Amino acid sequence: MTRATKIRNGLLLGIAALAGTAAHAQAVDTAALKTRAVAGVDARAKLAQVITDSVFSFSELGMHEVETSKYLTALLEKNGFTIERGVAGMPTAWVAKWTNGTGGPEIALGSDLDCIPKASQKPGVPYRDPLVAGAPGHGEGHNSGQAVNIVAALAVKDIMIKEKIPGTLMLWPGVAEELLAGKAFLVRAGVFKDADAVLFTHVGSNLGTRWGFSGGTGLVSVEYTFKGEAAHSAVAPWKGRSALDGVELMDVGWNFKREHLRPEQRSHYVISDGGDQPNVVPPLASVWYYFREQTFDQIKNLYETGNTIAQGAAMMSFTTVSHRLLGSAAPGHFNRPIAEDAEANIKAVGLPKWTDEEQAFAKLVQKNINAPQDGLDTELGDLRPPPANPQSGPSDDIGDVSWNVPTIVVSYPANIPNLPGHNWANAIAMATPIAHKGVVAGAKVIAMTTLDLLTKPELRTAAKSYFTDVQTKTQKYVPMLAADDKPPIELNTDIMARYAPQLKQYYYNPAKYGTYLQQLGIKWPMLDTPPGKAEPAKGSSAG
């Protein structure tokens, strides 16, 4: 070996050693930043509780998250975020941004806002006991997701300022997720055009995430309106053309068609307008359908089949029919590199430490609704890959976002396992220490993963590569909205006009009460038995 070769090899070894040292230092720095982020979340545990309890108390349905959005945007504005309101034609949609320095990535944190009809329930009461009978309530747990994101963002913001980390934090709400009527409009409006990644949070009973095809369904939400001619139902019914006949014939036709559809599809409807009164032949009637399938082409096929059957029903009833797309949800596909990064953070955070009293309360709730009495989860699940044999499942319009920017969904343990979903029972824990602990755990994961995305360009590169070379290599986003489709902001207007004044007396006052349970005079944990036979809980788990 020549002297020159020895010198060259020595230099190469030295460079490699320096690179290894630098990489190690970077890893230590990242770990230190995450430790500070976790401490920043813990320091804001009280804020997490106040946000969770406040939004729970508002109990607002989709397109009418007025008090919720007013409260959250005011909080973000106070903390230096710039707010754009009324985004994409939805009065309760907003985008909050904060930028540090110049350049840097934009990381978007999102979660839903709306609640469920007729799910009003006193928190911490382990049996059916509504705040306002018949009113909406957070029977899905959407009151907690913005608390996760805001607390995480504020913890990260402090670190970005001190360490001079450039980048933008964007927070946004999923408006009217229960109607699947918000996110596709946000995508169309370009809300995510500058985002490098989206971290979405959703309430669950464990801490976890997944990658690839979600295993659920996408859908279109369509209302068909039939028009006929009114007449006196007793004197001259032959002079009328019943729009309700058109609706019922469509429903009969669709139900016969079910035999010839894929087992994986799901379709369901409600008659949203059945006429005015029996002695008037209905001149106007409407039926509202959800058509769910697993691919863009299959969703489109169901939609077209529904349109055909509606036309046939109109011909049979001698009426006319029109249809309106109220919302849509793409089948979700989530980013593998970001999910794997989040999974490492999930394992570092772990599940909350539940007390014996919290476990006893959870098991009592499960007992009262005739569910398995497993209590609260104490072991983390694994990172969930795409299902080998996808079955039918729920829909979520975060799917539309996932086809436009690398996206994952992190579920956090703020609720009790084995509950039916979309039900008053799912509201029981959502303003109790169970939810408060779960929100803090979720916020730690989101803060840590946000820091990884801000400080690791290789993670952003891998995420973009997966999005471009795997996810969208052969399948591109297929928007279901037409250019003239508008958000159905009129939905739920009558319901909220009826119940909002009654609910207002129960809004949480954190200046006066430490928790919402204290304001309501509910002891924790309440381990009382129901005053009568527990009302059976029936429902489903997602939109």
Side-chain angles (χ1 to χ4, degrees):
M1 183 182 295
T2 66
R3 183 170 180 273
T5 301
K6 289 180 180 179
I7 293 172
R8 184 190 64 191
N9 289 347
L11 285 171
L12 290 174
L13 288 170
I15 292 169
L18 286 171
T21 301
H24 177 69
Q26 178 62 39
V28 170
D29 289 344
T30 302
L33 293 181
K34 289 183 180 182
T35 299
R36 287 162 55 188
V38 167
V41 170
D42 279 330
R44 294 174 172 87
K46 175 61 180 177
L47 176 61
Q49 172 257 309
V50 170
I51 296 173
T52 300
D53 289 5
S54 295
V55 178
F56 182 95
S57 74
F58 298 141
S59 298
E60 295 174 307
L61 292 172
M63 295 296 174
H64 296 271
E65 306 97 336
V66 177
E67 295 297 329
T68 301
S69 290
K70 185 192 305 182
Y71 167 74
L72 295 173
T73 54
L75 176 60
L76 287 164
E77 244 172 353
K78 182 179 178 181
N79 282 277
F81 283 75
T82 300
I83 311 295
E84 179 186 358
R85 295 176 172 84
V87 175
M90 294 179 284
T92 54
W94 46 268
V95 170
K97 285 191 178 187
W98 176 83
T99 299
N100 195 49
T102 56
E106 179 173 290
I107 311 303
L109 311 181
S111 199
D112 298 319
L113 294 179
D114 57 332
C115 68
I116 301 290
K118 296 182 173 64
S120 178
Q121 170 67 26
K122 292 177 183 174
V125 177
Y127 48 82
R128 184 63 162 136
D129 190 7
L131 274 167
V132 176
H138 274 287
E140 172 82 354
H142 285 175
N143 61 297
S144 56
Q146 289 295 328
V148 172
N149 293 344
I150 291 173
V151 167
L154 295 180
V156 170
K157 176 173 175 275
D158 285 351
I159 295 171
M160 291 173 70
I161 292 171
K162 187 167 184 178
E163 302 300 328
K164 298 180 173 56
I165 298 171
T168 297
L169 301 177
M170 178 177 88
L171 278 75
W172 59 279
V175 169
E177 188 277 335
E178 301 301 349
L179 304 173
L180 289 310
K183 298 184 187 74
F185 292 101
L186 296 179
V187 168
R188 189 177 69 179
V191 167
F192 306 100
K193 61 182 175 58
D194 297 323
D196 291 271
V198 171
L199 303 180
F200 195 78
T201 54
H202 196 281
V203 63
S205 57
N206 207 309
L207 194 57
T209 190
R210 65 174 60 193
W211 63 271
F213 172 58
S214 67
T217 56
L219 64 73
V220 286
S221 167
V222 191
E223 186 174 55
Y224 295 90
T225 297
F226 290 79
K227 292 183 179 180
E229 186 68 39
H232 195 302
S233 298
V235 176
W238 54 86
K239 292 183 178 180
R241 289 177 285 114
S242 173
L244 180 59
D245 287 353
V247 163
E248 293 185 302
L249 286 167
M250 179 180 180
D251 294 344
V252 169
W254 186 262
N255 287 329
F256 272 101
K257 180 64 177 174
R258 287 180 194 274
E259 179 186 356
H260 311 288
L261 298 174
R262 282 171 24 101
E264 294 80 6
Q265 73 85 30
R266 295 290 184 272
S267 49
H268 19 264
Y269 57 84
V270 295
I271 296 175
S272 48
D273 180 1
D276 299 305
Q277 56 192 57
N279 65 333
V280 178
V281 173
L284 199 69
S286 298
V287 60
W288 182 7
Y289 271 79
Y290 277 11
F291 298 121
R292 304 185 195 247
E293 255 289 8
Q294 294 181 326
T295 70
F296 290 106
D297 287 344
Q298 290 159 352
I299 296 167
K300 184 179 179 182
N301 180 61
L302 276 189
Y303 187 10
E304 292 173 348
T305 301
N307 294 344
T308 300
I309 289 176
Q311 288 293 342
M315 292 174 66
M316 287 189 289
S317 58
F318 295 90
T319 59
T320 60
V321 65
S322 60
H323 66 271
R324 177 188 175 194
L325 193 72
L326 299 180
S328 68
H333 189 119
F334 303 113
N335 193 268
R336 183 171 186 173
I338 302 178
E340 290 174 342
D341 182 86
E343 176 68 9
N345 295 324
I346 286 167
K347 291 186 182 302
V349 170
L351 288 169
K353 304 301 182 185
W354 308 115
T355 67
D356 291 343
E357 291 79 7
E358 289 161 352
Q359 288 285 14
F361 178 81
K363 290 178 181 179
L364 180 57
V365 172
Q366 292 164 340
K367 177 183 178 181
N368 287 343
I369 64 167
N370 300 316
Q373 297 171 48
D374 300 325
L376 300 166
D377 285 352
T378 57
E379 294 185 8
L380 289 171
D382 296 322
L383 176 65
R384 289 167 287 175
N389 298 298
Q391 303 297 312
S392 185
S395 310
D396 193 319
D397 49 0
I398 189 60
D400 290 78
V401 180
S402 76
W403 285 96
N404 287 272
V405 59
T407 300
I408 65 165
V409 176
V410 173
S411 60
Y412 52 93
N415 215 326
I416 297 171
N418 305 331
L419 302 185
H422 286 189
N423 186 273
W424 58 266
N426 289 73
I428 290 174
M430 290 313 305
T432 72
I434 292 171
H436 304 152
K437 286 183 177 181
V439 163
V440 168
K444 290 175 181 178
V445 173
I446 293 301
M448 295 165 74
T449 308
T450 300
L451 280 171
D452 285 337
L453 286 163
L454 286 167
T455 61
K456 296 180 179 179
E458 67 275 16
L459 174 58
R460 300 195 300 272
T461 299
K464 184 65 174 177
S465 177
Y466 179 89
F467 180 80
T468 303
D469 301 333
V470 179
Q471 178 182 345
T472 62
K473 183 176 182 180
T474 58
Q475 175 65 66
K476 307 299 182 185
Y477 177 55
V478 181
M480 296 294 173
L481 299 179
D484 57 349
D485 284 328
K486 293 180 174 57
I489 61 175
E490 77 284 356
L491 293 179
N492 294 322
T493 298
D494 292 344
I495 299 174
M496 290 309 301
R498 177 180 178 185
Y499 288 110
Q502 299 177 61
L503 289 165
K504 188 172 183 179
Q505 64 182 309
Y506 295 106
Y507 288 176
Y508 175 41
N509 182 357
K512 187 174 180 180
Y513 298 97
T515 68
Y516 195 40
L517 291 178
Q518 291 175 4
Q519 178 170 323
L520 296 175
I522 297 171
K523 68 178 182 179
W524 177 260
M526 179 185 285
L527 300 176
D528 301 345
T529 56
K533 184 178 178 181
E535 180 178 334
K538 299 177 181 179
S540 59
S541 60

